[in-house]
Amino acid sequence: MSIGPRPRITGVALSALVSSLELAVIANWESDPIVTGITHDSRQIHPGDLYAALPGFNTHGANFAQSAVHAGAVAIITDEVGLETAAATGVPVVLAAHPRERVGELADTIYESPSRDLIVVGITGTNGKTTTSFLLDSAFRAAGFTTGVIGTVGTRIGDDFIPTTRTTPEATDVHALLALMRESGVRAVAMEVSSHALRLGRVDGVRFAAVCFTNLTEDHLDFHADMYDYFDAKASLFMPERAGRAVVCVDDDWGRDLVVLCEQRGLAVSTFGLNPSADVSAEGITTIPGGSKVSVRRSKGQELSITVHLPGAFNVVNALGALQCALSVGVDLRDAAAGITDCGGVPGRMERIIDPRGVDGVVALVDYAHTPDAVERAIEAVRAGTRGRVIAVLGAGGDRDRAKRPLMGSAASRLADVVIVTDDNPRSEAPADIRSSVLEGARLSGGGEVHELGDRRAAITLAVQIAEAGDVVLVLGKGHEQGQEIDGVISPFDDRVVLAEVLAGVSSSGNHERDGVR
């Protein structure tokens, strides 16, 4: 694993660090090393690091303490379980009952509180986080800021891109990235914040100028006990000690409940959405090729127009959210509107794939939709702009929320004319079992024609082969992803690349056997 970039900092003596956070060194206190970084991953150690040996889902981080010290770690923080193993390395050991809960504030202190020197906006919700963050980033750029983005697609610092594997990196990485952004002259940052990140402390210690809620629909119920637990995780971001103000979509009950919570907690809140009572709402929406023209109404009496270069009413809402976030942290209204209008698109989000041969007639799109609500919104969006059929290619990820699979199939079959159920990222599960669950919902919906074809390239090929002029081919689920994980092996696979190849006739003619035709 490559060692990620780090900011240049002077460092802090271990004694001063632990004293400031009311911790103590309890083993090997013969030296007082200078700590210049922190990481939870023994493979990413830089000389001078504090190694966070945390309990994990499969193993304890203390098992890698020796290799961390060999790589240059000067101290370790761990719990009672990891204490003996960590102490055997000979470096100072800090004990904490729940070290994961202390890592964020440690990283914030080591990297000299970078979030307080930046305008950081955290965006949470089931759907829309990535799109909203890109639109907000464009608004920030229009205002003249050098910007950063942390999210599902990766991390960008100015114009430099850094691949990341999680929507929200671990706290050790988040603070290092923010410090690196500060060092690089970044002024404003749009950051996606997942419910996993909130439950696992990945944004602990980050001070947000504003936090935004997009929506809440069924997802991640393999991780959360129920929808109320899922909401509670999201709502934990909306605290005065975490953020300066809140920006909330009030198009669903969850958002309206969150507004009440913010008011009870003393957190200033403003609202957005299609709901006419919102502080920023759409007075009128005109569909144009590939997007919408939106007349925006503000509660302060101001009106303006923006163009959203992404199809569907849900992307109008994402744009309204980005606009309100920008305004909430002081961006000029005209700059924010111009930036959103200038945003040409988001990787893997309703991204149009142009036929390389220049042939018109079939519209081909790739979208990240992987929840029932997102599938429904994506198909409805393209339905509104086509005179022909909607042909949807759909799968569901393995080792994730099983309950949503039939709901995804039902939404696709009910709204699309043709659904081709295929593999997404099966991970450790049997692909046929996942497809069966999606097919169950699709067949019960009483909707369109349904096919099953496990090979994803073959499924995309079939969709293009049966498409006629005026039809839309919509490939859902993986969006910007560039690999497909099957039984622990990740193989190169990018829906956008494959769809372009198929459109160009690169793929075979595809006389594949297929079952499940209804």
Side-chain angles (χ1 to χ4, degrees):
M1 177 173 288
S2 63
I3 297 176
R6 290 285 186 85
R8 295 184 298 272
I9 63 168
T10 56
V12 57
L14 179 62
S15 59
L17 176 65
V18 298
S19 176
S20 68
L21 299 177
E22 298 182 347
L23 293 165
V25 176
I26 59 103
N28 306 324
W29 188 228
E30 288 81 30
S31 63
D32 190 10
I34 300 297
V35 177
T36 55
I38 180 172
T39 184
H40 64 286
D41 190 333
S42 63
R43 299 165 296 179
Q44 302 242 13
I45 291 289
H46 287 237
D49 273 357
L50 172 63
Y51 173 54
L54 308 177
F57 292 115
N58 299 311
T59 189
H60 199 289
N63 295 328
F64 307 100
Q66 196 66 58
S67 61
V69 171
H70 285 159
V74 296
I76 298 169
I77 181 170
T78 192
D79 58 10
E80 289 280 4
V81 176
L83 178 58
E84 183 177 352
T85 304
T89 65
V91 301
V93 179
V94 180
L95 181 67
H98 304 287
R100 183 177 290 278
E101 296 177 3
R102 309 306 300 271
V103 166
E105 56 188 341
L106 281 164
D108 178 59
T109 303
I110 292 166
Y111 293 120
E112 301 167 353
S113 300
S115 62
R116 296 179 185 274
D117 296 326
L118 302 167
I119 300 169
V120 183
V121 177
I123 302 164
T124 196
T126 306
N127 301 310
K129 295 187 295 296
T130 300
T131 300
T132 302
S133 70
F134 270 73
L135 291 165
L136 176 58
D137 177 74
S138 189
F140 282 151
R141 288 187 169 222
F145 295 147
T146 300
T147 65
V149 176
I150 299 174
T152 308
V153 176
T155 294
R156 184 171 46 71
I157 301 176
D159 293 323
D160 296 328
F161 180 78
I162 300 171
T164 49
T165 58
R166 292 188 174 100
T167 295
T168 313
E170 292 286 352
T172 53
D173 296 325
V174 164
H175 290 277
L177 288 168
L178 291 174
L180 194 62
M181 289 178 180
R182 177 181 59 189
E183 183 179 288
S184 302
V186 166
R187 181 74 182 99
V189 181
M191 181 194 300
E192 296 181 52
V193 182
S194 68
S195 61
H196 287 67
L198 289 161
R199 280 284 187 254
L200 297 173
R202 294 179 190 160
V203 293
D204 286 358
V206 176
R207 178 63 183 177
F208 295 95
V211 288
C212 174
F213 176 83
T214 59
N215 52 62
L216 197 78
T217 64
E218 182 162 334
D219 199 10
H220 303 308
L221 295 187
D222 55 324
F223 183 79
H224 298 287
D226 52 33
M227 289 296 291
Y228 295 100
D229 182 58
Y230 185 22
F231 174 72
D232 183 65
K234 297 288 190 186
S236 70
L237 183 62
F238 294 78
M239 299 283 192
E241 57 267 31
R242 285 188 183 269
R245 64 182 304 111
V247 177
V248 178
C249 179
V250 288
D251 286 344
D252 65 24
D253 288 339
W254 298 109
R256 292 186 284 272
D257 288 345
L258 183 57
V259 169
V260 174
L261 271 180
C262 290
E263 292 170 344
Q264 291 172 346
R265 293 169 176 174
L267 181 62
V269 60
S270 57
T271 60
F272 69 95
L274 300 180
N275 187 327
S277 69
D279 294 320
V280 169
S281 63
E283 188 78 12
I285 302 173
T286 302
T287 300
I288 61 173
S292 305
K293 282 190 175 295
V294 186
S295 297
V296 179
R297 180 195 58 78
R298 295 187 69 203
S299 59
K300 295 182 179 180
Q302 297 167 295
E303 294 187 4
L304 67 147
S305 178
I306 59 174
T307 300
V308 184
H309 295 289
L310 291 161
F314 67 99
N315 278 316
V316 170
V317 176
N318 291 332
L320 295 174
L323 178 66
Q324 185 67 336
C325 283
L327 298 177
S328 74
V329 295
V331 175
D332 179 79
L333 175 64
R334 288 169 296 181
D335 287 339
I340 290 168
T341 295
D342 287 345
C343 186
V346 182
R349 272 63 179 174
M350 300 301 281
E351 183 175 348
R352 183 165 183 178
I353 309 302
I354 304 301
D355 189 329
R357 300 166 300 174
V359 178
D360 292 327
V362 175
V363 175
L365 297 162
V366 169
D367 191 72
Y368 190 56
H370 59 281
T371 68
D373 180 70
V375 169
E376 182 172 329
R377 293 185 185 202
I379 297 174
E380 285 179 339
V382 299
R383 169 71 69 198
T386 183
R387 66 182 187 276
R389 298 175 301 166
V390 176
I391 302 168
V393 178
L394 175 73
D399 301 333
R400 299 294 187 269
D401 185 358
R402 288 173 166 80
K404 71 179 182 180
R405 296 170 186 173
L407 300 177
M408 291 169 63
S410 176
S413 181
R414 179 166 41 85
L415 296 167
D417 299 285
V418 180
V419 177
I420 303 171
V421 176
T422 189
D423 295 340
D424 189 293
N425 291 309
R427 299 184 176 91
S428 70
E429 288 192 64
D433 291 345
I434 301 172
R435 295 196 305 272
S436 177
S437 185
V438 177
L439 284 162
E440 177 187 355
R443 288 168 175 157
L444 289 174
S445 74
E449 177 184 329
V450 179
H451 301 250
E452 179 185 7
L453 190 53
D455 182 278
R456 194 170 180 90
R457 177 180 286 271
I460 293 171
T461 301
L462 175 61
V464 172
Q465 286 175 338
I466 65 176
E468 301 173 352
D471 291 347
V472 175
V473 171
L474 181 59
V475 181
L476 299 171
K478 290 172 57 59
H480 66 283
E481 293 177 357
Q482 298 178 26
Q484 185 179 36
E485 184 176 351
I486 302 175
D487 199 21
V489 177
I490 300 177
S491 302
F493 198 101
D494 188 324
D495 282 350
R496 300 166 297 177
V497 172
V498 172
L499 184 52
E501 290 174 350
V502 172
L503 287 166
V506 173
S507 294
S508 62
S509 59
N511 294 319
H512 306 280
E513 291 185 13
R514 55 187 186 271
D515 53 73
V517 179
R518 182 180 51 156

